[in-house]
Amino acid sequence: MSSPHSSLLTDHYELTMVSAALKDGTADRQCVFEVFTRRLPTGRRYGVVAGTARLVELIREFRFDSAEVDWLREAGVVDEQTAAWLSRFRFTGDIEGYAEGELFFPGSPILTVSGTFAECVMLETLALSVLNHDCAIAAAAARMVTAARGRTVIEMGSRRAHEEAAVAAARSAYLAGFGFTSNLAAGQRYGIPTAGTAAHAFTLLHDDEATAFASQVAAQGKGTTLLVDTYDIAQGIRNAIAVAGPDLRAIRIDSGDLSVLAHHSRELLDSLGATETKIIVSGDLDEYAIAALAAEPVDMYGAGTAVVTGSGAPTAGLVYKLVEVDGRPVVKRSENKATVGGRKVAIRRHKPTGTATEEIVVSQGVPDHRPNDRLLQRSFVVAGEPVELPGLVESREHLRQCLISIPWEGLKLSAGDPTIPVTVVPTS
């Protein structure tokens, strides 16, 4: 879903470079840019590629209309030559990269953009803003799904994010394995199943809790979820079952010691004959809180703030670097920020059992292919035209399979080194 102002999703310094390159004649030199990270967030063992399909759609609509060009000229951002170039701009190059749902590690070339210098450099801010956000959310969400051990996780973070970031976050969370989102825009745009229940305000609106529950059940049926912790949780559960009967779908607990409350709530529900009524817990849950509840009788988790903010790592730390000019590798030599020049090709190496062991990245060449190797890059855009990409459900399954393929220690929540070592072979 493109923004109505997608053409201005760029930075001043990008137009500075384009203006200078147009003047000195280097704007049309054929270049290759790559997106990668030098390191994962502290303690993380893998990253998750997300947002590629969103990015391709934004690039498809990436244009500068006359009003935007006029504003840039009047604001002194561009000169007449650059203004004329922007008025007819469209990306005509090629883009390839790792599939959505693929895992990545430091040095993985997850996106490769090829074309003229001017058109490629114009995409830097757009590409990084989409990928840094979506990859961060997907990695955090994947850790939560692992911690949930097969129990459903619901994304409930819209109120803790920018309105458009909330939709993108819901998409990334679903890609990572969440079962539902409360964000209806994400449901409409991406076909993600939606779920939700009433808040405390609805209970407080009524004269008593039972009346509020009766109203909700009358409107939504017994398949609804009743929030039972507005006053006293035990009495809330009794009221819920008294109103809805023992076949109430679920109750939700949003505060307190969730471990203790889940245990007592299960006992109380069972004693009331509501043995099939599910328990949903929410309230500032992250992957560690979810893991701590693994032994408790919790059926679903609601995650909000932590997932939409990357659970402490709100950006994936991705960078967009020039690696080749007119077929010649170029490198940055800054201390601690050096790059390996040349277009890269990457494969993931596996044991015969399917366990991933290594990632091989070759500059200006092709890795030696062995049995059980898997090529990681695929085409997204060819000569400016997007190719058909896998759907969200297919990408979700791809990530599930990738997580199965990594060594078991890669799924630990404790701090550790990246699960798969990346060997970058420079051009000879």
Side-chain angles (χ1 to χ4, degrees), residues 12 34 125 196:
H12 195 297
E34 288 176 346
T125 296

Side-chain angles (χ1 to χ4, degrees), residues 189-243:
R189 293 185 195 181
Y190 303 118
I192 301 171
T194 62
T197 183
H200 294 106
F202 186 74
T203 301
L204 295 171
L205 169 69
H206 293 80
D207 293 336
D208 57 68
E209 189 174 56
T211 302
F213 289 169
S215 174
Q216 185 175 333
V217 171
Q220 302 292 325
K222 296 182 179 182
T224 193
T225 298
L226 297 178
L227 180 61
V228 297
D229 69 341
T230 303
Y231 304 116
D232 177 80
I233 291 178
Q235 186 57 49
I237 292 173
R238 293 188 182 95
N239 288 338
I241 302 306
V243 167

Side-chain angles (χ1 to χ4, degrees), residues 27 32 64 78 100 128 155 158 173 221 235 262 287 341 405:
V32 177
F64 290 81
V78 299
E100 283 206 86
L128 291 180
E155 186 280 311
S158 295
Q235 186 57 49
E287 61 267 46
S405 76

